[in-house]
Amino acid sequence: QNGPGTHQYVHWMWKRAPEYLDIVHWTGNGFGTRNISHNLGAVPEMMWVKSQNAYGWVVYHKDDGNTEYGYLNTTGAFSSLATAWANTTPTSSVFTVGSSSIVNADSVSYVGMLFGTVSGISKVGSYTGDGNDGRVIDCGFSNGAQFILIKCISHTGYWDWYDTKRGIVAGNDSRLRTPDYSAQNTSYDYVDPSNSGFIVNNTNGDLNDTGRSYIFYAIAAE
């Protein structure tokens, strides 16, 4: 989308749908462990939680487990915090928050976005880097991915965002990173298309560095 002057913008939007995405709201009570009901219709595999106060976007991912958390708005590695998810794995009807102020401060309103894997449509997953180019990440798709989000969780690293509107191609890609206020980088071949999902390359060690742990979320092309 074109903005004022020479600025261009990209928007990513999700639609609530069974097993794919649900959005929930709750008000924190500041103590103990509590279950928050949801209508995803499946076990949430990734959750983004944001208070309507000063705290950042808190992230849960199934492949890092219920003792770990990270932030969508920082480059930090994921770390342990028992009072975030109360060491409790979500179920198909509820997810659990602990007493931490990042998810349950007294009288603070929170919003949670819950993501799931839908066969052939979306994939919440992870991989361990092997240091090579041409690494195929199989998402079970048939026509490749139209949206890819990747984060290294074992080490400091940006959240990398790719989409077919700006280009997921067999060549240099248009990469946006968060948190980063810079314009998109189009100088390297970070990812490539693959019918089953997508391909990551080890450009500058960003997406497939040996032994590092990465999480991803991908949406299939139509």
Side-chain angles (χ1 to χ4, degrees):
Q1 177 180 328
N2 292 324
T6 60
H7 295 288
Q8 292 184 313
Y9 299 87
V10 60
H11 303 265
W12 300 292
M13 290 163 281
W14 287 266
K15 181 178 180 179
R16 295 175 76 175
E19 301 183 14
Y20 176 73
L21 173 72
D22 190 31
I23 300 175
V24 297
H25 298 85
W26 69 97
T27 300
N29 60 17
F31 61 89
T33 297
R34 58 184 301 192
N35 291 329
I36 309 297
S37 297
H38 67 81
N39 293 303
L40 184 63
V43 176
E45 297 184 342
M46 180 172 66
M47 300 187 296
W48 300 349
V49 174
K50 178 71 175 74
S51 79
Q52 294 179 20
N53 268 8
Y55 303 106
W57 285 91
V58 186
V59 180
Y60 162 89
H61 194 283
K62 67 180 180 67
D63 292 334
D64 204 35
N66 60 35
T67 64
E68 304 292 310
Y69 82 107
Y71 282 109
L72 191 63
N73 55 299
T74 75
T75 61
F78 278 37
S79 58
S80 297
L81 181 65
T83 54
W85 319 116
N87 298 351
T88 305
T89 300
T91 73
S92 59
S93 59
V94 301
F95 64 94
T96 304
V97 295
S99 59
S100 173
S101 58
I102 63 176
V103 292
N104 194 26
D106 187 31
S107 301
V108 173
S109 295
Y110 294 85
V111 60
M113 299 178 65
L114 283 56
F115 300 86
T117 292
V118 181
S119 179
I121 296 176
S122 62
K123 178 66 176 179
V124 178
S126 64
Y127 61 93
T128 300
D130 63 13
N132 297 316
D133 288 338
R135 170 80 178 276
V136 177
I137 307 300
D138 189 345
C139 300
F141 299 162
S142 59
N143 198 31
Q146 67 172 314
F147 172 85
I148 309 166
L149 173 62
I150 304 174
K151 170 74 169 81
C152 178
I153 60 172
S154 58
H155 296 72
T156 298
Y158 291 94
W159 295 82
D160 281 18
W161 305 71
Y162 304 89
D163 59 74
T164 52
K165 293 296 183 182
R166 295 175 302 120
I168 297 174
V169 297
N172 290 359
D173 307 287
S174 299
R175 180 187 70 181
L176 287 170
R177 312 180 92 180
T178 53
D180 188 345
Y181 298 105
S182 303
Q184 65 182 2
N185 191 317
T186 59
S187 301
Y188 300 99
D189 184 8
Y190 300 106
V191 297
D192 289 320
S194 170
N195 285 342
S196 66
F198 59 95
I199 293 171
V200 293
N201 296 313
N202 196 34
T203 305
N204 298 329
D206 284 339
L207 300 182
N208 197 28
D209 207 4
T210 302
R212 296 196 174 192
S213 297
Y214 299 84
I215 59 172
F216 70 86
Y217 176 65
I219 300 172
E222 298 179 347

